């Protein structure tokens, strides 16, 4: 199962990606998390990416495509993967298609999770993230059991790019650069729409319903 989670900032891609990885036993690969880790470790990649992320802009394709390709070459991706936050524009989509085709592979499904702007802003403004395991919480709607800490013990933090000005910029970038991918994948007949409203559990049920109804490889149909 090779799949992509598509949706605006705050739609719940990370929340669902982590759960799906646990349920289906394939890795969840979030480019935003990889970049944030690089920034916090002050690597060369992090130094190059930080200014773009702080402005809510996309990090250059040349940086991100290489990261994703080397991650997909790791052993745990041989039976599939869940991409979250990649691809993010048409150039990245085409480069992913070419990369997979060269390996005799293709995407099985793209799950688009639309959510209204007012709900997105409300979700992002209370978000708390675990730097250790990547789990997301929300101060009001999904608080951690232990105040300020993840269930894995990690100390929760608020993302630098979750301030109102950067969120506005990210929503604009989503509309102009990422939303066109919806039609791109619809034309390829691998797009599935998932209503992103309701609780994380409700959205998860909807996504699993779609995944479980997909034809399995070698099923002849
Ligand atoms: P990235 O980290 O990918 O951010 P994003 O796409 O803006 O998405 P978010 O992580 O904000 O939202 P999400 O959909 O994962 O929602 P979440 O599950 O956390 O990218 C950040 C930056 O990195 C970009 O701006 C760019 O600079 C760079 N970048 C990354 N990838 C790149 C690429 N491919 N190319 C170039 N640059 C790239 O949920 C949000 C909150 O809501 C949480 O608090 C959660 O608990 C809560 N929540 C989730 N679902 C529900 C629900 N159903 N009900 C109530 N609350 C919910």
């Amino acid at each position: 199962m090779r799949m992509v989670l598509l949706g605006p900032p705050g739609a719940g891609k990370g929340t669902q990606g982590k759960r799906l990885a646990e349920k289906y036993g394939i890795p969840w690969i979030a480019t935003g998390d990889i970049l944030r880790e690089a920034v916090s470790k002050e690597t060369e990649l992090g130094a190059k990416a930080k200014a773009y992320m702080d402005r809510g802009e996309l990090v250059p394709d040349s940086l991100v495509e290489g990261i994703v390709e080397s991650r997909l070459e790791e052993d745990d991706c041989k039976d599939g993967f869940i991409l979250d936050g990649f691809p993010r524009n048409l150039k990245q989509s085409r480069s992913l298609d070419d990369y997979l085709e060269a390996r005799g592979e293709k995407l099985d499904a793209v799950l688009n999770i639309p959510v209204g702007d007012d709900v997105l802003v409300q979700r992002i403004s209370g978000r708390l993230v675990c730097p250790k395991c990547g789990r997301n919480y929300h101060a009001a709607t999904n608080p951690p059991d232990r105040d300020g800490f993840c269930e894995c013990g990690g100390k929760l933090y608020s993302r630098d790019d979750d301030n109102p000005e950067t969120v506005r910029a990210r929503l604009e970038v989503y509309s102009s650069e990422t939303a066109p991918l919806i039609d791109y994948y619809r034309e390829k007949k691998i797009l599935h729409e998932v209503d992103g409203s309701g609780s994380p559990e409700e959205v998860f049920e909807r996504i699993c319903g779609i995944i479980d109804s997909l034809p399995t490889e070698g099923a002849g149909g």
Side-chain angles (χ1 to χ4, degrees), residues 9 16 31 56 59 79 84 86 89 96 100 104 110 117-118 125 130 135 169-171 175-176 196 199 202 215 217 221:
Q16 300 301 331
T31 42
V59 172
D79 293 329
D84 160 4
F86 185 94
N89 58 26
L96 177 63
L100 292 175
V110 175
D117 278 7
D118 48 343
S125 59
C130 175
R135 192 181 163 130
R170 285 162 57 203
L171 287 170
S175 300
S176 59
S199 68
E202 287 168 326
E217 237 168 62

Side-chain angles (χ1 to χ4, degrees), residues 7-16 31-33 35-36 52-53 56-61 64 84-88 92 123-124 126-128 136-138 141-142 159 161-162 170 196-200 203:
K13 304 181 295 295
T15 303
Q16 300 301 331
T31 42
D33 285 352
L35 292 168
R36 275 185 292 281
Y52 296 97
M53 297 174 79
E57 294 170 9
L58 295 186
V59 172
D61 298 332
V64 182
D84 160 4
F86 185 94
R88 202 85 162 206
Q92 292 182 8
R123 285 186 186 175
I124 289 175
R127 170 165 46 196
L128 297 166
N136 283 315
Y137 294 85
H138 189 280
T141 59
N142 181 25
R159 278 170 41 178
D161 63 348
D162 278 353
R170 285 162 57 203
S197 64
S199 68
V203 179

Side-chain angles (χ1 to χ4, degrees), residues 37 129-135 150 154-157:
E37 193 184 351
V129 184
C130 175
K132 246 173 105 183
C133 74
R135 192 181 163 130
C150 180
K155 191 164 178 0
L156 300 175
Y157 75 101

